[in-house]
Amino acid sequence: MNIVNIISVIIGSICFFGYPVILGLAIIQFFRGKPAKNLFFVSIGMIPILFISIFIGEFTTPNYWERQKQTKAEERENQKIVENINENRSEAEKAQEQYNEDMHKQVADSLRSPEEIRSESNIFDYNTLIKDSDNYIGKYAKFKGVINEIRDSENGGVGSIVALDVGDGNLVRVHSPIPLENQSGDSITVYGTITEFISYTNNSGEELTAPNLIADIVE
């Protein structure tokens, strides 16, 4: 404790314990009919002195400002925690909304009739697909071509994976959930949804991009 803090504690203690004593003496003097005005003034004057000494003592307490800084830092940390919680809650709500939309779309897709699938599938220009690929993800598409390669789905999955040559050496990767009996060289028409665009290397060593299609109908 520094000297200012010690003095403020002493003065505060004197005022705290002396105030009721002097006030009591003033009341006794008053009822005895003796002058008590000075004692009343002294007791009343002790009140602001008491609060001033408490105020000074608080601000001169060792490590007061360090404690204030620590408190402010804790408040900022708590605020960050609250903001992170709110941000995570917002992201979780958005993820849930997206999940609900995806599930709704999957259910709607599963209920489409073959006629609806064929009518809603579009024939896109291949070069336009590759140049502006982001705008075609999720689109219903129709491709007709010759099977370049066919194999079972990867990682033990059900179905077939087809590399479909749609002309001029352009390929479409087709995933059929149902195993296909077709062979390389067969001509097929596929209807389905473009889910992504994949990169591959052709026989000449060129890095190329091809759309990936989840097939609803293969004929």
Side-chain angles (χ1 to χ4, degrees), residues 27-47:
I27 294 173
I28 293 172
Q29 289 288 79
F30 176 77
F31 282 108
R32 287 181 177 179
K34 296 180 180 182
K37 182 171 64 174
N38 290 338
L39 290 174
F40 274 118
F41 284 151
V42 172
S43 63
I44 294 173
M46 282 184 170
I47 297 174

Side-chain angles (χ1 to χ4, degrees), residues 26-147:
I27 294 173
I28 293 172
Q29 289 288 79
F30 176 77
F31 282 108
R32 287 181 177 179
K34 296 180 180 182
K37 182 171 64 174
N38 290 338
L39 290 174
F40 274 118
F41 284 151
V42 172
S43 63
I44 294 173
M46 282 184 170
I47 297 174
I49 294 174
L50 173 63
F51 284 104
I52 291 172
S53 64
I54 293 173
F55 181 81
I56 294 174
E58 175 66 18
F59 279 90
T60 56
T61 301
N63 300 325
Y64 171 79
W65 296 109
E66 287 76 6
R67 287 188 284 109
Q68 288 294 316
K69 291 180 181 178
Q70 182 178 358
T71 301
K72 293 292 184 182
E74 290 174 353
E75 290 177 353
R76 288 193 296 269
E77 186 65 26
N78 291 336
Q79 182 63 30
K80 288 181 180 179
I81 292 173
V82 172
E83 291 175 355
N84 289 336
I85 291 174
N86 292 334
E87 183 178 349
N88 291 337
R89 181 183 296 115
S90 177
E91 291 178 356
E93 290 174 353
K94 290 180 180 178
Q96 184 63 44
E97 290 177 0
Q98 185 62 48
Y99 174 79
N100 292 339
E101 290 179 5
D102 292 343
M103 290 301 296
H104 179 77
K105 185 176 183 297
Q106 289 181 20
V107 172
D109 288 345
S110 66
L111 297 176
R112 290 188 303 157
S113 67
E115 291 75 17
E116 289 175 321
I117 294 173
R118 292 186 180 92
S119 64
E120 293 174 5
S121 298
N122 300 293
I123 299 175
F124 297 113
D125 177 71
Y126 191 90
N127 292 328
T128 303
L129 280 177
I130 302 304
K131 291 179 181 178
D132 199 15
S133 57
D134 289 343
N135 288 331
Y136 290 94
I137 293 177
K139 300 290 187 181
Y140 300 128
K142 170 185 176 181
F143 292 100
K144 184 176 182 179
V146 177
I147 296 177

